[in-house]
């Protein structure tokens, strides 16, 4: 049994399906990128796996349990825009929030909790920011704090939703360096538009646009082009498996 198994999943909102018949697995020490156009259902897939929405059909197994039960073993990094940076807390406070389930109803975090938070901050490269207010951080620093928060409880898998959106190239590279190290120990699934940056690191790619196509190698395939993904030029220059040569001629996605 793989850490995450999705079989024939249909999911959406208000009775309207956003994704249909999706089958996917996240394997041990996997590094999987989920790509696809806006509105294709990538975030919907994550929400279903995390138990945040109820599937309309199909099956999801998370470490052999239901999403509601198994997702407790998953670290999740949401899109940066969902994090309220105006809340007056320090970086240490924000990272400790990832340990609330362990803390229970007690009013304070133990020394063990704080040690776990410090270890996660070290892994994410934000130890020097521990006493800074989250509202004073740059976009890249904020993203690394969210990553530290997800790593603090020692998850068995890590899911990320557009972790490098709106970051400059140096911060994007920093985040991907961290994820590369993390993926050596636990499986990682990243939803991203930045396939050019992750292609050198990921082990597999899935393209989702209502339905899904999965490649067991970090390659853009002709089948992915058929579901509406337009291959970036930087990928075309390295990978001719996308079905295009030179400029992309798929006519979809509005790019070269």
């Amino acid at each position: 049994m793989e850490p995450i198994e999705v079989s024939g999943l249909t999911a959406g909102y208000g009775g309207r399906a956003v994704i249909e018949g999706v089958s996917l697995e996240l394997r041990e020490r996997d590094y999987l990128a989920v790509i696809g156009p806006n509105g294709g259902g990538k975030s919907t897939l994550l929400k279903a796996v995390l138990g945040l929405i109820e599937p309309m059909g199909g099956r999801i197994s998370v470490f052999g349990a239901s999403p509601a039960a198994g997702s407790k073993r998953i670290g999740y990094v949401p899109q940066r825009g969902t994090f309220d940076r105006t809340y007056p807390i320090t970086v240490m406070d924000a990272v400790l929030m990832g340990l609330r389930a362990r803390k229970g109803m007690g009013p304070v975090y133990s020394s063990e909790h704080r040690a776990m938070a410090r270890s996660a901050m070290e892994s994410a490269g934000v130890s020097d920011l521990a006493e800074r207010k989250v509202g004073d951080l740059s976009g890249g620093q904020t993203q690394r704090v969210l990553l530290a928060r997800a790593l603090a409880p020692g998850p068995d898998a890590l899911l990320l939703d557009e972790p490098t959106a709106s970051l400059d190239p140096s911060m994007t590279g920093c985040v991907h360096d961290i994820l590369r190290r993390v993926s050596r120990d636990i499986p990682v699934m990243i939803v991203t538009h930045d396939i050019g940056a992750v292609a050198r690191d990921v082990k597999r790619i899935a393209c989702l646009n209502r339905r899904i196509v999965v490649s067991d190698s970090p390659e853009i395939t002709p089948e992915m082009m058929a579901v509406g993904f337009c291959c970036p030029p930087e990928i075309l220059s390295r990978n001719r498996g996308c079905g295009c040569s030179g400029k992309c001629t798929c006519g979809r996605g509005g790019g070269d």
Side-chain angles (χ1 to χ4, degrees):
M1 181 176 295
E2 302 292 357
I4 296 175
E5 296 180 345
V6 177
S7 179
L9 174 67
T10 297
Y13 311 94
R16 183 180 67 87
V18 175
I19 56 177
E20 291 184 301
V22 169
S23 294
L24 180 71
E25 59 186 23
L26 184 68
R27 303 166 181 169
E28 292 287 351
R29 297 185 181 177
D30 206 352
Y31 193 174
L32 171 68
V34 180
I35 62 175
N38 287 331
K42 301 184 298 297
S43 295
T44 300
L45 171 63
L46 289 188
K47 290 176 182 178
V49 169
L50 292 166
L52 301 177
I53 60 173
E54 193 71 26
M56 299 166 63
R59 183 183 66 86
I60 304 173
S61 170
V62 181
F63 293 102
S66 68
S71 63
K72 297 174 182 178
R73 298 174 60 180
I74 295 177
Y76 174 53
V77 180
Q79 294 186 24
R80 184 159 51 98
T82 63
F83 183 69
D84 185 1
R85 297 178 62 195
T86 65
Y87 202 67
I89 58 174
T90 66
V91 167
M92 172 61 85
D93 294 331
V95 176
L96 283 169
M97 290 171 63
L99 293 160
R100 283 179 298 178
R102 286 176 176 262
K103 179 175 73 74
M105 299 300 293
V108 297
Y109 291 94
S110 68
S111 58
E112 178 186 2
H113 294 144
R114 292 185 175 276
M116 294 172 71
R118 285 192 293 271
S119 176
M121 287 191 290
E122 183 176 353
S123 296
V126 292
S127 295
D128 58 325
L129 304 176
E131 301 307 317
R132 290 270 299 274
K133 299 291 186 182
V134 294
D136 296 333
L137 304 180
S138 69
Q141 290 170 331
T142 300
Q143 199 60 47
R144 285 184 287 151
V145 169
L146 292 176
L147 181 53
R149 184 179 68 176
L151 293 174
D156 294 312
L158 182 65
L159 272 57
L160 308 97
D161 194 354
E162 297 285 0
T164 60
S166 302
L167 299 187
D168 62 44
S170 64
M171 285 295 99
T172 294
C174 181
V175 170
H176 286 310
D177 286 344
I178 295 167
L179 296 180
R180 187 186 312 118
R181 293 195 298 270
V182 171
S183 68
R184 295 169 186 163
D185 298 315
I186 62 174
V188 173
M189 181 191 297
I190 176 174
V191 164
T192 183
H193 285 94
D194 193 17
I195 188 60
V198 301
R200 68 180 182 275
D201 295 326
V202 298
K203 297 177 180 177
R204 299 189 300 135
I205 294 177
C207 183
L208 179 60
N209 186 16
R210 194 173 183 92
R211 64 185 182 89
I212 198 166
V213 176
V214 182
S215 172
D216 280 336
S217 64
E219 295 180 353
I220 306 297
T221 67
E223 290 79 12
M224 290 178 183
M225 308 298 290
V227 299
F229 179 73
C230 191
C231 194
E234 63 269 23
I235 299 298
L236 289 175
S237 65
R238 297 197 304 267
N239 174 18
R240 299 302 178 183
C242 64
C244 302
S245 60
K247 290 186 177 181
C248 178
T249 58
C250 69
R252 307 194 184 198
D256 287 337

